[in-house]
Amino acid sequence: MKTRNDPRLMPWAAAIVVCALLHTGMPASHAARIHIRPAPGALRAGLAEAAAGDTLLVQAGLYREHTLTVDKPLTILGDRGAVINAQGRGAIFLVTADHVTLRGLTLRETGLSYVEDRAAVKCIKGMWARFEDLRIERSMFGVYFSRSRHGIVRRCRIVGEAVTESNSGNGIHSWYGDSLLIEDNVVRGHRDGVYLEFTRHTLVRGNTSENNLRYGLHFMFSDDDVYEYNHFIRNGAGAAVMYTRRVDMRGNVFRDNWGPASYGLLLKDIYDSNIHDNVFERNTAAIYAEGGARLTVTRNILRANGWAVRLMANCTDNVFSANVFEANSFDVATNSTRNNSLFRANFWDAYRGYDLDHDGFGDTPFRPVRVFSHIVEQNPPALILLNSFFIALLDITERVFPSVTPETLVDARPLLRRPEGGAMTLKERVR
């Protein structure tokens, strides 16, 4: 009977040295540490040689291999300088087992396909996978979960070279996932930085997603998720949350998401969710909400955006409170003459009221919707008149005698002073 380190088993066995060390949690007789050295087919041979619970130690060097199936619980660790290059010929790791760990490897060049979702790491129906400290370069998809649960992607650097949406994939992608942790990664140059579809109970934390073509983060039909302390910078849009319930978004930074149809945060048909302690800075529209209901938007800083909030007519029962609005071209805009949301106790740098009773709140209400924003909603080219004297006069008149803007879209008790703490404290903490 052949043994697992029998030199007759594989022609590449000279590249594989079994060190026979114990693996945590596995029976001593079933655990080994297998050294993989650069040689043609060495990784595929090592995977075939290994038994469940073994550890593969991939030594520094270049491995030209692809479509490596991991169908048993394994730990695969890369030395610094261990590079696997698929040379554009296909996916690299295909994980179909539970309890698989990949760590410390550099994975390159899956190539583009129009008939399959090629990924540097693809996990199919796997549980408890851990993908950590990977460097993924020039791959169509970076890490791809399909019907997987309890997976972790942590401290990975995933860099693509996407040019168009049609010929690119996402940095981190999950389809029908549950209970994933996506933490402390850097993702850039993909279609979406992080894409979750039908993925529940997932935490997205501490990631930087920048320079992606479409969205830094994209949720679709993904309930009960949390994303916190992430940076979404210079994407087509910072984050898009669609057709989703019960999402908590806190402590994130949305910055420099500029473009003719760009947003810091795009909300579409989202319900019963919280948006708090975030920083929105220099976005075309910081928050765009269409079909949002029962949203709590509080303690956010919205600064130097084109539009701080664009609230469409089908948004209902939302509450905006304790937010800071400053240096925005438009604080709030809507396409309706009616309002079904509540604004209270926000700080508006455009407010010119007074506080005779010294309770910290303005004695007169503030109307954040400029009549000019209504004109721009109907006629975008009119934006060229933004700083004209006539428009300023028109806005003042509308605030005194509202006739076009929603009469109930008003902050009855605006804050007189800019609140300290809240999002500012979080901003300092995360950057």
Side-chain angles (χ1 to χ4, degrees):
M1 181 177 177
K2 295 179 179 179
T3 60
R4 291 189 288 112
N5 56 351
D6 189 332
R8 297 171 297 174
L9 189 63
M10 296 289 178
W12 319 272
I16 303 171
V17 180
V18 180
C19 295
L21 298 177
L22 301 181
H23 185 278
T24 303
M26 299 297 294
S29 60
H30 292 170
R33 292 170 70 89
I34 301 174
H35 287 259
I36 308 294
R37 295 177 180 141
L43 281 165
R44 196 178 309 280
L47 291 170
E49 180 78 1
D54 284 355
T55 297
L56 274 63
L57 303 172
V58 183
Q59 297 188 1
L62 178 60
Y63 300 79
R64 293 186 175 90
E65 298 189 59
H66 63 93
T67 320
L68 300 165
T69 300
V70 184
D71 57 2
K72 66 198 85 170
L74 290 176
T75 297
I76 303 173
L77 307 179
D79 283 348
R80 187 170 184 177
V83 178
I84 304 173
N85 192 327
Q87 299 179 289
R89 301 172 65 183
I92 298 179
F93 281 107
L94 180 61
V95 176
T96 60
D98 299 338
H99 297 284
V100 171
T101 295
L102 300 177
R103 185 179 300 135
L105 295 159
T106 296
L107 310 175
R108 289 178 180 161
E109 296 188 28
T110 63
L112 173 66
S113 172
Y114 293 101
V115 296
E116 61 173 326
D117 291 340
R118 286 188 179 178
V121 180
K122 193 167 187 177
C123 181
I124 301 175
K125 297 182 180 179
M127 293 180 60
W128 309 109
R130 298 173 71 98
F131 306 129
E132 298 175 327
D133 301 307
L134 301 175
R135 186 180 180 94
I136 298 175
E137 300 171 343
R138 302 190 296 278
S139 291
M140 185 176 175
F141 288 81
V143 177
Y144 191 123
F145 289 103
S146 175
R147 295 187 180 276
S148 297
R149 293 184 290 162
H150 302 290
I152 296 175
V153 186
R154 179 183 284 146
R155 297 186 305 273
C156 294
R157 186 178 181 86
I158 303 172
V159 180
E161 297 180 344
V163 177
T164 65
E165 292 182 14
S166 61
N167 67 359
S168 59
N170 305 315
I172 300 172
H173 181 108
S174 173
W175 184 71
Y176 276 102
D178 201 325
S179 304
L180 305 178
L181 172 60
I182 300 168
E183 183 177 46
D184 296 335
N185 303 286
V186 175
V187 186
R188 64 168 64 105
H190 284 270
R191 180 173 56 198
D192 292 339
V194 179
Y195 179 88
L196 305 180
E197 185 173 2
F198 301 107
T199 297
R200 305 178 62 190
H201 308 120
T202 288
L203 173 59
V204 180
R205 178 170 60 199
N207 303 281
T208 296
S209 185
E210 59 186 356
N211 294 314
N212 296 289
L213 292 179
R214 191 167 59 177
Y215 304 120
L217 172 68
H218 192 181
F219 275 54
M220 297 277 283
F221 309 104
S222 296
D223 300 337
D224 302 299
D225 292 336
V226 174
Y227 63 92
E228 61 183 13
Y229 313 131
N230 302 285
H231 283 72
F232 303 108
I233 302 171
R234 294 186 296 277
N235 300 286
V241 184
M242 302 179 177
Y243 314 111
T244 293
R245 298 174 183 270
R246 299 179 300 278
V247 174
D248 195 58
M249 318 169 208
R250 59 178 176 247
N252 303 284
V253 175
F254 302 81
R255 181 180 295 142
D256 294 323
N257 299 292
W258 279 107
S262 188
Y263 312 95
L265 176 60
L266 168 62
L267 305 172
K268 183 174 177 56
D269 293 317
I270 172 175
Y271 309 102
D272 304 305
S273 296
N274 299 310
I275 304 165
H276 56 103
D277 299 294
N278 302 284
V279 175
F280 297 86
E281 193 170 49
R282 298 191 301 272
N283 303 284
T284 301
I287 299 175
Y288 176 92
E290 180 179 336
R294 300 181 298 280
L295 307 179
T296 299
V297 184
T298 187
R299 298 192 307 275
N300 301 284
I301 293 176
L302 303 105
R303 178 171 51 225
N305 302 285
W307 287 264
V309 175
R310 292 183 69 187
L311 202 60
M312 298 296 103
N314 55 357
C315 293
T316 58
D317 300 323
N318 306 299
V319 177
F320 293 77
S321 65
N323 300 290
V324 171
F325 292 81
E326 57 186 4
N328 302 296
S329 297
F330 302 104
D331 287 326
V332 179
T334 180
N335 61 348
S336 174
T337 56
R338 297 183 178 181
N339 169 54
N340 297 304
S341 296
L342 174 66
F343 287 78
R344 66 186 180 199
N346 298 284
F347 173 79
W348 312 87
D349 66 346
Y351 180 61
R352 297 295 180 265
Y354 43 85
D355 179 20
L356 295 180
D357 56 5
H358 303 292
D359 65 352
F361 298 95
D363 294 342
T364 58
F366 178 68
R367 298 184 180 279
V369 179
R370 296 175 57 181
V371 66
F372 185 52
S373 69
H374 259 285
I375 297 173
V376 172
E377 283 291 329
Q378 303 300 322
N379 302 282
L383 194 59
I384 196 172
L385 301 174
L386 175 62
N387 295 316
S388 70
F389 172 75
F390 172 75
I391 293 301
L393 185 63
L394 192 65
D395 280 333
I396 292 173
T397 304
E398 178 68 16
R399 282 175 178 165
V400 176
F401 304 105
S403 58
V404 176
T405 58
E407 188 174 353
T408 60
L409 206 164
V410 59
D411 190 334
R413 301 191 75 202
L415 291 172
L416 257 294
R417 293 182 177 82
R418 190 182 194 282
E420 299 299 327
M424 280 298 289
T425 301
L426 284 164
K427 180 186 176 186
E428 292 166 358
R429 198 167 93 198
V430 300
R431 187 64 115 186

